[in-house]
Amino acid sequence: MEDSPDEATALIRNNPARLRHGKLFLAVFSAVLGNFNFGFALVFPSPVIPHLQKGDDPRLQMDIHQISWFGSIFTLGAALGGVSAMVLNDRVGRKISIMLSGVPSAVGLLVMGAAQNFWMLLWGRFLTGIAGGITAGSIPVYVSEISHPSVRGALGSCPQITAVFGSLALYAFGLVLPWRWLAVAGEIPVVIMMIFLCFMPTSPRYHIMKGNRARAVKSLEWLRGPNSDYLTEFDKIERSINSQGVQWSDLKMPLYYKPILISVTMRFLQQMTGITPILVYLEPIFHMTAISLEPKYDAAIVGAVRLMSVAIAASLMDRAGRKALLFTSGFLMYLATLSMTMYTHKTQCNHGNLTVTEGLKSTYGGLTGPAFDPITLIPLISSMVIIFGYAMGWGPITWLLMSEILPLGARGVASGLCVGVSWITAFVLTQLFMHVVESYGLFAPFLFFCVVSVVNIIFTAKCVPETKGRTLEEIENFSGLANIHHS
């Protein structure tokens, strides 16, 4: 009986379909708590580095090389976790993969909270990075697969918004909690996520891929409600899965390699904007720019602006064209990084060599500091515009475009390439950032990010297709891909 849902479909259609999203929203909330943990752990060094440099424990005070590793090793863990997610998603399912990410997350935060030396901090960061990579590779897939088409767009933005909220929570807690208690606070959403997910359904698509048609129907019924037209949706999912599949030899065809190249290049350029090192070292950057306001408050303000900008971008995604938002994003980041470059180059005489660590020790928790100077707000405003510009385009649209331009059968291969390229690029930039600042001054990396913003604008104009309001055939024609069907 489980193999013939068509009969039940006819019965369902005789009654008005009543779709209910309450349980779907609960399942999505349970899953995206993993993104909250990811956002929280990603920016953990921002308030912690100044605390450690000010502290009395010499075992935890770091030189420039250790600061670079503390900031960057998270991304190495994320690369490993992202590759692991590709395997786990197909072996144990999306939901179990997300639950498994809670193990390295909880252990990593516990190790950092109890750290007695630098190596414990490093191992804790690496473990939370593995968890972050797994969640980044599993949660968007799970959310998109359980969501109804009518709300998939809105729910698809939840992972990013929740990650941003997690970063904001870290900045906010950093205002009132000692650094060890920040790690303890991070354990709470991990535990809640794992408990909630125990009661959530596995993705119906995963069940169908494994041949468990009855379980897939049961999951869809739970998510949509017993009076909804869930069996029709089951049929569509099953037909979609049966029609996909790609061989390695197919990757030689333009239909596959052109959109893959565009997607991978966009992920590379996305990280080259410097967003990861800026977020990871946000509070230390404010310490080095001699801003009149206290850096920990500046970081919290930027975190709030980031959350607001992501929400605005989500509302504009389907109204404005993809390329228009990418152009706006690139131009805003260009102006902001140029302003930051000019400001830090002008004031670099105050920050010679060896001031990265010394500056953190001397400025953190200072008494009254210099008198307020409005010009010192430039780094704060520039940082807010960088974050706002990124969230308007190059943050979310790279993922959206990838799902739109890639043939269905190539998404697994392409997502793996994108995860690897993205996190390895983030590691290199985050590792080198403080070394470049130490050798040349803070203006040098921001000048580089300014040039990258120009490259992004040019790449958008020349290589990125406009997908808003277009059919898949029109998107293929843009890239000159449709002709392969006739060869």
Side-chain angles (χ1 to χ4, degrees):
M1 187 170 181
E2 66 183 56
D3 292 328
S4 56
D6 292 334
E7 299 175 8
T9 303
L11 295 176
I12 286 284
R13 283 172 178 163
N14 291 331
N15 298 318
R18 288 184 293 176
L19 192 63
R20 295 178 180 177
H21 292 314
K23 290 183 176 179
L24 169 62
F25 294 157
L26 179 61
V28 170
F29 170 77
S30 304
V32 298
L33 282 173
N35 289 101
F36 182 94
N37 304 329
F38 169 80
F40 190 94
L42 173 65
V43 299
F44 188 78
S46 179
V48 171
I49 290 173
H51 271 290
L52 294 178
Q53 297 307 96
K54 180 199 173 188
D56 298 326
D57 191 344
R59 297 174 301 174
L60 297 176
Q61 290 180 355
M62 294 179 278
D63 59 28
I64 191 65
H65 301 285
Q66 291 171 324
I67 288 175
S68 296
W69 275 105
F70 184 53
S72 63
I73 198 169
F74 179 94
T75 56
L76 274 187
L80 178 59
V83 174
S84 302
M86 292 177 59
V87 178
L88 290 172
N89 280 343
D90 289 334
R91 291 285 178 87
V92 300
R94 290 72 159 129
K95 188 190 85 166
I96 301 299
S97 298
I98 300 168
M99 294 179 69
L100 287 175
S101 74
V103 176
S105 183
V107 173
L109 288 167
L110 184 65
V111 169
M112 285 193 290
Q116 300 300 311
N117 54 54
F118 170 70
W119 290 104
M120 290 182 72
L121 288 173
L122 215 57
W123 273 111
R125 281 286 285 167
F126 183 71
L127 288 172
T128 55
I130 292 175
I134 295 174
T135 58
S138 301
I139 293 176
V141 178
Y142 180 73
V143 170
S144 67
E145 290 186 353
I146 67 173
S147 298
H148 189 269
S150 63
V151 291
R152 185 172 291 139
L155 295 181
S157 63
C158 286
Q160 187 187 16
I161 292 175
T162 315
V164 171
F165 192 72
S167 297
L168 175 59
L170 188 278
Y171 293 138
F173 286 142
L175 300 177
V176 294
L177 292 179
W179 72 270
R180 291 187 188 275
W181 281 100
L182 287 177
V184 175
E187 300 278 9
I188 297 173
V190 177
V191 174
I192 295 174
M193 177 195 75
M194 296 178 74
I195 293 174
F196 274 33
L197 282 175
C198 290
F199 304 98
M200 298 301 116
T202 297
S203 160
R205 182 176 286 265
Y206 176 75
H207 277 317
I208 295 173
M209 289 171 61
K210 295 299 181 180
N212 299 321
R213 301 175 81 245
R215 291 183 180 179
V217 171
K218 189 175 180 180
S219 291
L220 269 178
E221 181 183 5
W222 190 92
L223 290 164
R224 306 288 184 259
N227 296 322
S228 66
D229 198 1
Y230 62 90
L231 288 171
T232 300
E233 185 178 352
F234 169 85
D235 290 338
K236 291 179 180 178
I237 295 173
E238 191 170 43
R239 284 196 298 268
S240 172
I241 291 175
N242 292 336
S243 67
Q244 61 180 275
V246 61
Q247 305 296 323
W248 281 102
S249 58
D250 295 334
L251 298 179
K252 300 176 182 178
M253 303 162 65
L255 173 66
Y256 291 105
Y257 76 73
K258 282 191 176 182
I260 289 176
L261 281 176
I262 291 174
S263 299
V264 171
T265 304
M266 287 192 74
R267 287 293 289 163
F268 172 73
L269 291 175
Q270 179 194 50
Q271 286 296 338
M272 291 294 280
T273 61
I275 190 65
T276 301
I278 289 172
L279 290 174
V280 169
Y281 299 126
L282 189 57
E283 197 170 318
I285 288 171
F286 287 141
H287 277 287
M288 289 181 277
T289 52
I291 194 168
S292 296
L293 298 176
E294 209 170 338
K296 61 181 180 180
Y297 295 114
D298 298 326
I301 291 171
V302 171
V305 168
R306 185 177 172 218
L307 180 62
M308 179 187 69
S309 60
V310 169
I312 293 173
S315 66
L316 290 176
M317 200 71 67
D318 290 325
R319 299 181 185 179
R322 309 326 185 212
K323 293 186 73 169
L325 287 176
L326 287 174
F327 280 129
T328 303
S329 173
F331 186 66
L332 286 174
M333 286 192 288
Y334 164 73
L335 290 179
T337 51
L338 181 62
S339 299
M340 195 71 149
T341 301
M342 295 172 67
Y343 176 85
T344 52
H345 185 63
K346 177 182 177 183
T347 58
Q348 67 171 325
C349 57
N350 298 326
H351 311 281
N353 284 341
L354 303 179
T355 56
V356 173
T357 52
E358 292 174 2
L360 288 171
K361 290 179 183 178
S362 63
T363 61
Y364 185 84
L367 297 175
T368 58
F372 175 73
D373 184 357
I375 200 169
T376 63
L377 291 177
I378 289 178
L380 174 60
I381 295 171
S382 297
S383 298
M384 288 192 295
V385 175
I386 291 171
I387 300 300
F388 183 82
Y390 176 83
M392 285 291 292
W394 277 91
I397 290 181
T398 48
W399 286 109
L400 177 63
L401 269 175
M402 189 173 77
S403 67
E404 290 178 329
I405 68 176
L406 286 174
L408 196 61
R411 286 181 189 172
V413 176
S415 63
L417 285 172
C418 286
V419 165
V421 168
S422 177
W423 287 117
I424 290 172
T425 306
F427 167 74
V428 172
L429 286 176
T430 312
Q431 173 66 228
L432 293 178
F433 185 87
M434 283 297 188
H435 292 289
V436 172
V437 172
E438 185 85 351
S439 300
Y440 302 103
L442 193 57
F443 81 95
F446 281 98
L447 177 60
F448 175 76
F449 300 148
C450 182
V451 173
V452 170
S453 297
V454 176
V455 173
N456 288 357
I457 293 172
I458 296 172
F459 180 81
T460 301
K462 298 292 185 181
C463 303
V464 177
E466 178 56 79
T467 58
K468 177 179 178 287
R470 294 190 177 189
T471 65
L472 293 179
E473 289 75 16
E474 289 172 334
I475 295 171
E476 287 182 358
N477 288 335
F478 175 90
S479 302
L481 305 180
N483 58 358
I484 72 152
H485 297 297
H486 307 290
S487 59

